[in-house]
PDB file of all heavy atoms in Angstrom:
ATOM      1  N   PRO B1634      -1.389 -21.738   4.463  1.00 75.00           N
ATOM      2  CA  PRO B1634      -0.504 -20.606   4.789  1.00 75.00           C
ATOM      3  C   PRO B1634      -0.137 -20.543   6.266  1.00 75.00           C
ATOM      4  O   PRO B1634       1.005 -20.220   6.616  1.00 75.00           O
ATOM      5  CB  PRO B1634      -1.325 -19.379   4.359  1.00 75.00           C
ATOM      6  CG  PRO B1634      -2.265 -19.894   3.333  1.00 75.00           C
ATOM      7  CD  PRO B1634      -2.603 -21.285   3.761  1.00 75.00           C
ATOM      8  N   TYR B1635      -1.095 -20.871   7.150  1.00 74.00           N
ATOM      9  CA  TYR B1635      -0.795 -20.846   8.581  1.00 74.00           C
ATOM     10  C   TYR B1635       0.230 -21.920   8.937  1.00 74.00           C
ATOM     11  O   TYR B1635       1.165 -21.668   9.706  1.00 74.00           O
ATOM     12  CB  TYR B1635      -2.076 -21.039   9.386  1.00 74.00           C
ATOM     13  CG  TYR B1635      -1.835 -21.116  10.880  1.00 74.00           C
ATOM     14  CD1 TYR B1635      -1.565 -19.966  11.607  1.00 74.00           C
ATOM     15  CD2 TYR B1635      -1.856 -22.336  11.544  1.00 74.00           C
ATOM     16  CE1 TYR B1635      -1.326 -20.018  12.973  1.00 74.00           C
ATOM     17  CE2 TYR B1635      -1.623 -22.401  12.908  1.00 74.00           C
ATOM     18  CZ  TYR B1635      -1.357 -21.238  13.616  1.00 74.00           C
ATOM     19  OH  TYR B1635      -1.116 -21.291  14.954  1.00 74.00           O
ATOM     20  N   LEU B1636       0.075 -23.111   8.385  1.00 76.00           N
ATOM     21  CA  LEU B1636       1.020 -24.195   8.679  1.00 76.00           C
ATOM     22  C   LEU B1636       2.419 -23.866   8.176  1.00 76.00           C
ATOM     23  O   LEU B1636       3.415 -24.214   8.808  1.00 76.00           O
ATOM     24  CB  LEU B1636       0.521 -25.501   8.060  1.00 76.00           C
ATOM     25  CG  LEU B1636      -0.748 -26.090   8.694  1.00 76.00           C
ATOM     26  CD1 LEU B1636      -1.226 -27.297   7.910  1.00 76.00           C
ATOM     27  CD2 LEU B1636      -0.496 -26.472  10.148  1.00 76.00           C
ATOM     28  N   VAL B1637       2.484 -23.202   7.036  1.00 77.00           N
ATOM     29  CA  VAL B1637       3.794 -22.789   6.521  1.00 77.00           C
ATOM     30  C   VAL B1637       4.401 -21.722   7.422  1.00 77.00           C
ATOM     31  O   VAL B1637       5.580 -21.758   7.772  1.00 77.00           O
ATOM     32  CB  VAL B1637       3.673 -22.283   5.065  1.00 77.00           C
ATOM     33  CG1 VAL B1637       4.987 -21.677   4.600  1.00 77.00           C
ATOM     34  CG2 VAL B1637       3.260 -23.414   4.143  1.00 77.00           C
ATOM     35  N   ALA B1638       3.580 -20.745   7.827  1.00 73.00           N
ATOM     36  CA  ALA B1638       4.082 -19.651   8.666  1.00 73.00           C
ATOM     37  C   ALA B1638       4.595 -20.160  10.000  1.00 73.00           C
ATOM     38  O   ALA B1638       5.575 -19.640  10.540  1.00 73.00           O
ATOM     39  CB  ALA B1638       2.991 -18.605   8.883  1.00 73.00           C
ATOM     40  N   THR B1639       3.927 -21.178  10.544  1.00 74.00           N
ATOM     41  CA  THR B1639       4.346 -21.724  11.836  1.00 74.00           C
ATOM     42  C   THR B1639       5.349 -22.862  11.668  1.00 74.00           C
ATOM     43  O   THR B1639       5.658 -23.559  12.638  1.00 74.00           O
ATOM     44  CB  THR B1639       3.119 -22.229  12.608  1.00 74.00           C
ATOM     45  OG1 THR B1639       2.374 -23.145  11.783  1.00 74.00           O
ATOM     46  CG2 THR B1639       2.220 -21.070  13.008  1.00 74.00           C
ATOM     47  N   GLN B1640       5.832 -23.068  10.453  1.00 76.00           N
ATOM     48  CA  GLN B1640       6.886 -24.036  10.128  1.00 76.00           C
ATOM     49  C   GLN B1640       6.475 -25.481  10.388  1.00 76.00           C
ATOM     50  O   GLN B1640       7.305 -26.340  10.640  1.00 76.00           O
ATOM     51  CB  GLN B1640       8.179 -23.707  10.884  1.00 76.00           C
ATOM     52  CG  GLN B1640       8.688 -22.305  10.577  1.00 76.00           C
ATOM     53  CD  GLN B1640      10.033 -22.011  11.195  1.00 76.00           C
ATOM     54  OE1 GLN B1640      10.990 -22.756  10.987  1.00 76.00           O
ATOM     55  NE2 GLN B1640      10.124 -20.937  11.947  1.00 76.00           N
ATOM     56  N   HIS B1641       5.161 -25.754  10.323  1.00 79.00           N
ATOM     57  CA  HIS B1641       4.706 -27.141  10.347  1.00 79.00           C
ATOM     58  C   HIS B1641       4.914 -27.796   8.986  1.00 79.00           C
ATOM     59  O   HIS B1641       5.089 -29.016   8.902  1.00 79.00           O
ATOM     60  CB  HIS B1641       3.206 -27.213  10.702  1.00 79.00           C
ATOM     61  CG  HIS B1641       2.915 -27.043  12.164  1.00 79.00           C
ATOM     62  ND1 HIS B1641       2.782 -25.803  12.750  1.00 79.00           N
ATOM     63  CD2 HIS B1641       2.747 -27.952  13.154  1.00 79.00           C
ATOM     64  CE1 HIS B1641       2.530 -25.960  14.042  1.00 79.00           C
ATOM     65  NE2 HIS B1641       2.504 -27.258  14.315  1.00 79.00           N
ATOM     66  N   VAL B1642       4.839 -26.979   7.931  1.00 84.00           N
ATOM     67  CA  VAL B1642       4.871 -27.503   6.568  1.00 84.00           C
ATOM     68  C   VAL B1642       5.826 -26.668   5.735  1.00 84.00           C
ATOM     69  O   VAL B1642       5.915 -25.448   5.906  1.00 84.00           O
ATOM     70  CB  VAL B1642       3.459 -27.465   5.924  1.00 84.00           C
ATOM     71  CG1 VAL B1642       3.520 -27.765   4.444  1.00 84.00           C
ATOM     72  CG2 VAL B1642       2.543 -28.457   6.613  1.00 84.00           C
ATOM     73  N   ARG B1643       6.535 -27.334   4.835  1.00 84.00           N
ATOM     74  CA  ARG B1643       7.351 -26.655   3.839  1.00 84.00           C
ATOM     75  C   ARG B1643       6.772 -26.964   2.473  1.00 84.00           C
ATOM     76  O   ARG B1643       6.477 -28.120   2.172  1.00 84.00           O
ATOM     77  CB  ARG B1643       8.794 -27.153   3.916  1.00 84.00           C
ATOM     78  CG  ARG B1643       9.695 -26.575   2.835  1.00 84.00           C
ATOM     79  CD  ARG B1643      11.043 -27.270   2.852  1.00 84.00           C
ATOM     80  NE  ARG B1643      11.878 -26.857   1.740  1.00 84.00           N
ATOM     81  CZ  ARG B1643      12.900 -27.560   1.273  1.00 84.00           C
ATOM     82  NH1 ARG B1643      13.232 -28.705   1.826  1.00 84.00           N
ATOM     83  NH2 ARG B1643      13.603 -27.129   0.259  1.00 84.00           N
ATOM     84  N   VAL B1644       6.561 -25.966   1.658  1.00 84.00           N
ATOM     85  CA  VAL B1644       5.958 -26.141   0.336  1.00 84.00           C
ATOM     86  C   VAL B1644       7.031 -26.035  -0.744  1.00 84.00           C
ATOM     87  O   VAL B1644       7.859 -25.115  -0.734  1.00 84.00           O
ATOM     88  CB  VAL B1644       4.857 -25.088   0.085  1.00 84.00           C
ATOM     89  CG1 VAL B1644       4.330 -25.195  -1.337  1.00 84.00           C
ATOM     90  CG2 VAL B1644       3.723 -25.272   1.074  1.00 84.00           C
ATOM     91  N   ILE B1645       7.015 -26.971  -1.661  1.00 83.00           N
ATOM     92  CA  ILE B1645       7.847 -26.908  -2.865  1.00 83.00           C
ATOM     93  C   ILE B1645       6.882 -26.767  -4.033  1.00 83.00           C
ATOM     94  O   ILE B1645       6.101 -27.683  -4.321  1.00 83.00           O
ATOM     95  CB  ILE B1645       8.741 -28.156  -3.010  1.00 83.00           C
ATOM     96  CG1 ILE B1645       9.711 -28.247  -1.831  1.00 83.00           C
ATOM     97  CG2 ILE B1645       9.493 -28.123  -4.330  1.00 83.00           C
ATOM     98  CD1 ILE B1645      10.618 -29.457  -1.863  1.00 83.00           C
ATOM     99  N   GLY B1646       6.896 -25.617  -4.678  1.00 79.00           N
ATOM    100  CA  GLY B1646       5.945 -25.316  -5.736  1.00 79.00           C
ATOM    101  C   GLY B1646       6.518 -25.515  -7.119  1.00 79.00           C
ATOM    102  O   GLY B1646       7.652 -25.983  -7.292  1.00 79.00           O
ATOM    103  N   PRO B1647       5.752 -25.123  -8.145  1.00 78.00           N
ATOM    104  CA  PRO B1647       6.194 -25.335  -9.527  1.00 78.00           C
ATOM    105  C   PRO B1647       7.541 -24.690  -9.838  1.00 78.00           C
ATOM    106  O   PRO B1647       8.352 -25.274 -10.579  1.00 78.00           O
ATOM    107  CB  PRO B1647       5.065 -24.700 -10.360  1.00 78.00           C
ATOM    108  CG  PRO B1647       3.881 -24.703  -9.465  1.00 78.00           C
ATOM    109  CD  PRO B1647       4.398 -24.543  -8.077  1.00 78.00           C
ATOM    110  N   GLU B1648       7.787 -23.490  -9.307  1.00 76.00           N
ATOM    111  CA  GLU B1648       9.056 -22.817  -9.586  1.00 76.00           C
ATOM    112  C   GLU B1648      10.233 -23.637  -9.086  1.00 76.00           C
ATOM    113  O   GLU B1648      11.287 -23.660  -9.706  1.00 76.00           O
ATOM    114  CB  GLU B1648       9.072 -21.434  -8.937  1.00 76.00           C
ATOM    115  CG  GLU B1648       8.223 -20.403  -9.642  1.00 76.00           C
ATOM    116  CD  GLU B1648       8.896 -19.885 -10.906  1.00 76.00           C
ATOM    117  OE1 GLU B1648      10.126 -19.980 -11.000  1.00 76.00           O
ATOM    118  OE2 GLU B1648       8.180 -19.403 -11.795  1.00 76.00           O
TER     119      GLU B1648
END
Side-chain angles (χ1 to χ4, degrees):
Y1635 176 76
L1636 292 174
V1637 172
T1639 53
Q1640 302 186 54
H1641 282 85
V1642 170
R1643 175 188 173 201
V1644 175
I1645 298 179
E1648 285 283 337

